[in-house]
Amino acid sequence: QDANIPLQESGYSQRLDEFDQVFIELFSDRWNIRAGDIDLQNSNSYFAEFSKRVQGLSVNAKLGSEEKTNVFAAGALVRGQFTTSQFTAQEGNQGPYKLQGPNGELFVLIVSGSEIVYVNGVAIERGEDKDYIIDYNAGEIIFNSTFPITSEMRITVDYQFSERNYSRLVAYAGGNYESDKLKIGVSVYSENDSKNQPLQQNLSEEQVQILSNAGDDRGLMVAPSEVLEALNENRILYKKELIEGVEAFVFSNNPDDELYRVTFTLVGDNQGDYILSSINAINNIFEYIGPSLGNYAPIVQLVAPTRLQIAVLNGEYNPNEKTNISFEASGSKNDQNLFSDIDDDNNEGFAGKLRLEQTIVKQDSLWTLKGFIDGDFIEANYRNIQGLYNPEF
């Protein structure tokens, strides 16, 4: 297969056969090494539970004579980035409903099999004979006629989407130990963009400076889009002109003018100075109509490289058959702009969990009385990989 072609399997069946997984694996009774398509999973953590489909290398090994110590490590290129899309259904409209990216992107490529769809907080099933089908390539979900949609339904979709602004790397490592009374595990997860390897955007020095000055404010991550260019009959070009004291771009095909190639971005009603005036066979033509009277602006939205790091320590202790103590502590570091040191004071967060359970009375197999304490503590700046609670918790 050619993994560079961004096409996903169809989302009609209830179960997706991973026919395109290609890997090489070496293994023995005590270790295994796998290279190629791998699934990174952590189901032994409360805060850092995740499942990610990646391409890379993973190593697992069992240590000690009784093989109760296990260590693992993996490094890979990430295929998808986790996000959530929420919308309210329309009465009688079975779809298609368009899923949006985390920054409002209308065209997202969803990693096949990564979605969980909740309706009013309850997960539903994929399949032609179930509740919904999904087009991963178009990012659209359609509900079957056997699952009628009403305007009272709140729909939440957790999924991974293919994000190609930067090369994204993930590293995951840790280990766990188990004895008769104690289980303890530690893991470290790091996912970050390679800021010096942009894929879909070629950043100039000026644009890098804009990102370095923007901090975490995405509204400041915009740059002028004009590029000086000679007359080209196959392109829509503009000249600069003063209109009521404001320098604006005006469509021109005069070779004597200083011409620019300009990219216009939809910024919302009364947020821009330009409107779409006509549609040409080559491209669209935009017209300046006055400050804050239009919905387009001659800017490009820049995307900053990000990094998420998570460390977890958890365990379970059973001093006797009536007492159970489990705990987990996790710290995260979430940097929304690797080019900038501004707004870095809110990057770090902590979360903890403690559960104590005591059997008070146990009458053979007839009945049992237990008492327990179960609590979470999560700082506002703590970030994990996927959602922690039910969407409508």
Side-chain angles (χ1 to χ4, degrees):
Q1 66 155 354
D2 184 358
N4 293 316
I5 299 177
L7 295 177
Q8 303 290 313
E9 307 159 56
S10 63
Y12 290 85
S13 60
Q14 184 180 6
R15 177 177 175 272
L16 293 174
D17 292 323
E18 298 299 336
F19 63 88
D20 64 341
Q21 278 208 334
V22 180
F23 61 91
I24 297 175
E25 185 169 23
L26 307 177
F27 61 91
S28 73
D29 293 337
R30 301 177 63 86
W31 57 265
N32 77 294
I33 301 174
R34 180 166 172 170
D37 292 330
I38 59 177
D39 287 330
L40 292 184
Q41 293 180 330
N42 184 5
S43 57
N44 297 321
S45 173
Y46 180 74
F47 293 112
E49 182 178 4
F50 72 94
S51 175
K52 223 174 227 314
R53 192 163 298 165
V54 295
Q55 291 178 330
L57 177 71
S58 67
V59 179
N60 291 274
K62 296 178 181 179
L63 306 178
S65 58
E66 297 183 3
E67 300 181 354
K68 290 188 175 181
T69 300
N70 182 62
V71 294
F72 57 87
L77 293 172
V78 181
R79 288 180 59 189
Q81 182 178 351
F82 181 82
T83 191
T84 297
S85 183
Q86 295 179 317
F87 56 90
T88 301
Q90 300 174 359
E91 185 70 33
N93 184 1
Q94 299 295 119
Y97 289 96
K98 193 77 175 175
L99 301 182
Q100 296 187 359
N103 298 316
E105 299 93 341
L106 295 178
F107 300 99
V108 290
L109 182 69
I110 300 173
V111 176
S112 59
S114 67
E115 88 286 349
I116 304 176
V117 181
Y118 300 91
V119 176
N120 295 343
V122 179
I124 61 176
E125 292 185 88
R126 178 185 64 242
E128 285 187 300
D129 59 340
K130 298 294 182 179
D131 303 320
Y132 73 94
I133 58 177
I134 184 169
D135 187 335
Y136 293 114
N137 298 301
E140 295 177 343
I141 183 170
I142 300 174
F143 296 93
N144 297 331
S145 57
T146 54
F147 191 83
I149 296 297
T150 70
S151 60
E152 303 299 320
M153 290 181 171
R154 303 172 304 277
I155 301 172
T156 302
V157 185
D158 294 340
Y159 63 94
Q160 294 178 38
F161 71 100
S162 181
E163 199 268 344
R164 302 287 293 171
N165 289 302
Y166 297 88
S167 295
R168 180 177 285 253
L169 305 175
V170 60
Y172 177 54
N176 52 68
Y177 169 79
E178 180 178 347
S179 65
D180 293 337
K181 294 185 177 182
L182 176 66
K183 295 179 182 178
I184 192 165
V186 61
S187 65
V188 178
Y189 176 92
S190 177
E191 182 176 342
N192 69 282
D193 292 328
S194 300
K195 66 179 183 179
N196 296 322
Q197 293 182 332
L199 298 178
Q200 292 184 342
Q201 55 180 354
N202 294 318
L203 298 176
S204 65
E205 292 184 5
E206 293 78 10
Q207 290 173 332
V208 171
Q209 189 60 45
I210 290 173
L211 288 174
S212 66
N213 295 332
D216 294 346
D217 189 348
R218 190 171 183 271
L220 300 178
M221 298 179 190
V222 293
S225 64
E226 70 267 19
V227 177
L228 193 64
E229 188 165 308
L231 179 65
N232 186 336
E233 294 181 355
N234 295 321
R235 284 191 171 171
I236 300 295
L237 300 176
Y238 298 82
K239 66 178 180 178
K240 288 183 178 180
E241 188 175 293
L242 281 177
I243 301 178
E244 297 180 355
V246 178
E247 188 178 64
F249 292 102
V250 177
F251 170 69
S252 174
N253 54 10
N254 187 347
D256 296 329
D257 291 334
E258 189 177 62
L259 300 175
Y260 296 86
R261 173 168 49 89
V262 185
T263 300
F264 291 86
T265 299
L266 182 65
V267 293
D269 293 338
N270 300 319
Q271 299 295 317
D273 304 341
Y274 295 80
I275 60 170
L276 179 60
S277 64
S278 65
I279 300 177
N280 188 283
I282 303 172
N283 209 331
N284 299 330
I285 298 177
F286 295 86
E287 179 184 355
Y288 176 83
I289 62 170
S292 300
L293 296 178
N295 53 0
Y296 283 87
I299 59 174
V300 290
Q301 180 69 52
L302 304 179
V303 179
T306 63
R307 176 192 293 137
L308 175 62
Q309 297 173 314
I310 298 176
V312 175
L313 174 65
N314 56 13
E316 184 176 340
Y317 179 55
N318 298 293
N320 53 63
E321 62 179 12
K322 292 185 176 182
T323 304
N324 177 270
I325 303 171
S326 60
F327 65 91
E328 180 163 325
S330 178
S332 72
K333 187 173 183 179
N334 182 39
D335 194 337
Q336 292 296 301
N337 186 352
L338 296 180
F339 281 119
S340 177
D341 295 330
I342 302 173
D343 299 330
D344 279 356
D345 53 346
N346 63 351
N347 287 356
E348 298 179 359
F350 173 80
K353 179 178 178 64
L354 179 65
R355 179 180 175 88
L356 309 175
E357 185 177 291
Q358 178 69 42
T359 301
I360 301 172
V361 179
K362 184 175 182 179
Q363 291 293 333
D364 298 327
S365 60
L366 298 178
W367 60 277
T368 302
L369 178 63
K370 293 182 178 182
F372 69 90
I373 298 174
D374 193 347
D376 299 350
F377 171 77
I378 305 173
E379 286 186 344
N381 293 329
Y382 179 81
R383 294 293 180 269
N384 63 350
I385 307 164
Q386 297 181 182
L388 181 59
Y389 295 125
N390 181 287
E392 299 196 351
F393 176 80

